């Protein structure tokens, strides 16, 4: 366990698997129970729940969007009900069953601000942004650093389109992204030891790679709240924590952003976080992954199978870009 001197209540490593479960013993016990329960839910598809309440979403008319045939899968899509009820969203708790609590988040009106080193900073209402962007559906793999994985049909637009709209100046070499801050509805944000708001970042080369996708929907309909509505990122060659949910801010800057998970556990979670089966997490192997909603375990691939699209970004970086933490 590498986060030693930091917190007095950390657990022995055998007790922990998911991200940052070293914080609080009571929490960990709760989480272990929740994981067991989620296994039960996953095997029971016919569940009536508030998992998907997108009927009144003002962007509903844009769905389903046309599928882009370029993005193919080597595996079956994960079952929709499982994907929508097994989530990581620390704003609403550290367990996987946050889908009901997440319904408390108001997602309209929602404005997105473009800040920092750009020609002219601006804010845009998310529906105006969605209306402007070329929406399409893409089938992507997703690999959580906790060694579970899924395959989902996202709807959204290339992040490059947002970068073009933002008109960054040449000194902008990174883009920082942040999630909302609403401790009144998001109980997790009332836990002061986490560095809220959730923050992530990409280099400009990463953000403008065609694979970097801003997501507004899934399974042919608007994104449910628990999955990061109204706007989240999908960078499928990186561990899932890079794919920040419920984005309110894009800040173009020359400094490398300090991310949420880096702050929480700098020896375990880093800026690059490229999927690499050969670089174990300090507390577990990354060689294989569990496909949620199935009994299957499959080998993990370098860059989560997207090396052809993204490896060139990291050429000349001395392998740095392949590393989980730094
Ligand atoms: N704001 C925010 N974004 C987040 C997270 C989070 O806790 N808060 N969790 C991340 C992690 S660890 C993963 S694996 C994915 C999970 O996405 P899903 O719940 O839609 O499967 O969201 C990522 N984005
Ligand atoms: Mo994750």
């Amino acid at each position: 366990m590498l986060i030693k001197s930091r917190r007095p209540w950390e657990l022995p490593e055998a007790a922990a698997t998911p991200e940052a479960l070293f914080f609080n013993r009571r929490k960990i016990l709760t989480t272990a129970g929740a994981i067991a329960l989620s296994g039960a839910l996953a095997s029971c598809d016919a569940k009536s729940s508030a998992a998907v309440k997108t009927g009144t979403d003002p962007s509903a008319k844009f769905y389903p969007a046309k599928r882009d045939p370029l993005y193919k899968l080597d595996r079956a899509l994960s079952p929709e009900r499982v994907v929508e009820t097994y989530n990581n969203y620390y704003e609403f708790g550290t367990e996987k069953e946050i889908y009901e609590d997440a319904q408390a988040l108001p997602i309209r009106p929602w404005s997105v601000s473009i800040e920092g080193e750009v020609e002219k900073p601006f804010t845009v209402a998310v529906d105006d942004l969605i209306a402007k962007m070329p929406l399409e559906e893409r089938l992507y793999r997703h690999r959580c650093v906790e060694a579970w994985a899924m395959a989902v049909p996202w709807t959204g637009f290339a992040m490059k389109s947002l970068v073009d709209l933002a008109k960054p100046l040449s000194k902008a070499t990174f883009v920082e992204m942040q999630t909302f801050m609403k401790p009144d509805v998001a109980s997790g944000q009332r836990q002061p030891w986490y560095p809220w708001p959730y923050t992530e970042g990409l280099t400009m080369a990463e953000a403008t790679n065609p694979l970097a996708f801003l997501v507004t929907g899934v399974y042919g309909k608007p994104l449910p709240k628990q999955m990061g509505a109204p706007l989240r990122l999908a960078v499928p060659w990186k561990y899932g924590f890079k794919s920040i949910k419920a984005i309110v801010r894009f800040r173009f800057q020359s400094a490398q952003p300090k991310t949420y998970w880096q702050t929480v556990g700098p020896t375990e979670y880093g800026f690059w976080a490229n999927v690499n089966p050969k670089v174990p997490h300090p507390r577990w192997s990354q060689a294989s992954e569990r496909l949620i909603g199935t009994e299957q375990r499959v080998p993990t691939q370098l860059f989560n199978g997207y090396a052809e699209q993204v490896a060139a970004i990291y050429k000349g970086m001395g392998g740095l870009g392949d590393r989980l933490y730094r």
Side-chain angles (χ1 to χ4, degrees):
M1 180 99 190
L2 294 179
I3 311 247
K4 225 157 219 139
S5 52
R6 292 164 55 93
R7 309 281 179 191
W9 51 77
E10 59 183 353
L11 276 187
E13 120 187 358
T17 43
E19 278 136 319
L21 281 190
F22 36 75
F23 287 110
N24 166 320
R25 173 173 293 273
R26 190 182 53 78
K27 262 216 171 77
I28 294 193
L29 295 176
T30 313
T31 306
I35 287 167
L37 176 65
S38 95
L41 290 181
S43 54
C44 160
D45 257 14
K47 182 162 43 70
S48 76
S49 74
V52 192
K53 262 210 268 172
T54 53
T56 55
D57 192 298
S59 65
K61 57 178 180 285
F62 294 115
Y63 300 88
K66 193 161 184 282
R67 184 172 293 180
D68 186 334
L70 239 107
Y71 301 92
K72 294 188 177 65
L73 289 175
D74 58 348
R75 57 190 66 171
L77 283 177
S78 302
E80 185 175 342
R81 291 312 253 181
V82 176
V83 168
E84 291 177 352
T85 52
Y86 183 89
N87 302 102
N88 271 341
Y89 206 166
Y90 272 53
E91 284 81 348
F92 295 98
T94 56
E95 66 279 19
K96 293 286 183 282
E97 290 68 38
I98 52 75
Y99 61 91
E100 280 170 325
D101 289 343
Q103 305 314 310
L105 178 68
I107 57 167
R108 292 297 188 287
W110 189 276
S111 82
V112 176
S113 77
I114 309 287
E115 302 174 7
E117 305 288 0
V118 293
E119 272 184 23
K120 194 171 184 288
F122 61 93
T123 65
V124 58
V126 75
D127 290 308
D128 294 340
L129 181 68
I130 293 173
K132 257 198 255 275
M133 292 289 132
L135 289 196
E136 61 180 40
E137 183 178 77
R138 297 183 181 185
L139 310 184
Y140 271 8
R141 293 186 290 274
H142 173 100
R143 170 54 156 86
C144 177
V145 72
E146 298 161 348
W148 57 265
M150 61 184 185
V152 289
W154 297 123
T155 301
F157 54 92
M159 187 167 179
K160 168 100 171 39
S161 304
L162 180 117
V163 173
D164 290 346
L165 189 73
K167 300 195 175 68
L169 304 175
S170 58
K171 60 184 146 187
T173 45
F174 293 92
V175 55
E176 179 187 86
M177 288 156 277
Q178 279 185 326
T179 298
F180 69 86
M181 185 67 194
K182 282 188 188 295
D184 52 326
V185 293
S187 63
Q189 293 185 329
R190 300 197 287 268
Q191 312 303 318
W193 52 85
Y194 289 111
W196 308 112
Y198 198 99
T199 303
E200 259 305 337
L202 296 173
T203 65
M204 290 301 287
E206 292 173 333
T208 56
N209 184 279
L211 209 53
F213 201 52
L214 284 167
V215 170
T216 60
V218 73
Y219 294 102
K221 59 186 191 312
L223 202 58
K225 292 182 180 184
Q226 67 273 23
M227 296 191 73
L231 186 68
R232 68 154 316 151
L233 180 67
V235 277
W237 71 99
K238 292 178 177 289
Y239 288 112
F241 63 85
K242 296 292 296 183
S243 291
I244 180 172
K245 297 180 171 181
I247 303 169
V248 296
R249 177 172 300 110
F250 294 86
R251 191 167 196 289
F252 293 83
Q253 56 192 50
S254 56
Q256 181 174 302
K258 181 97 165 51
T259 71
Y260 176 91
W261 282 110
Q262 258 182 314
T263 308
V264 169
T267 58
E268 306 201 353
Y269 310 104
F271 178 80
W272 298 103
N274 291 318
V275 175
N276 188 339
K278 294 208 175 102
V279 178
H281 183 280
R283 292 183 283 140
W284 58 86
S285 164
Q286 296 291 24
S288 68
E289 62 208 41
R290 179 176 64 87
L291 303 181
I292 61 169
T294 77
E295 304 292 309
Q296 274 174 279
R297 253 201 118 75
V298 301
T300 290
Q301 306 171 59
L302 182 63
F303 293 115
N304 199 24
Y306 295 103
E308 201 179 308
Q309 289 91 330
V310 299
I313 300 175
Y314 308 102
K315 283 267 151 60
M317 291 181 70
L320 182 77
D322 298 352
R323 277 198 221 138
L324 172 57
Y325 42 96
R326 136 85 204 226

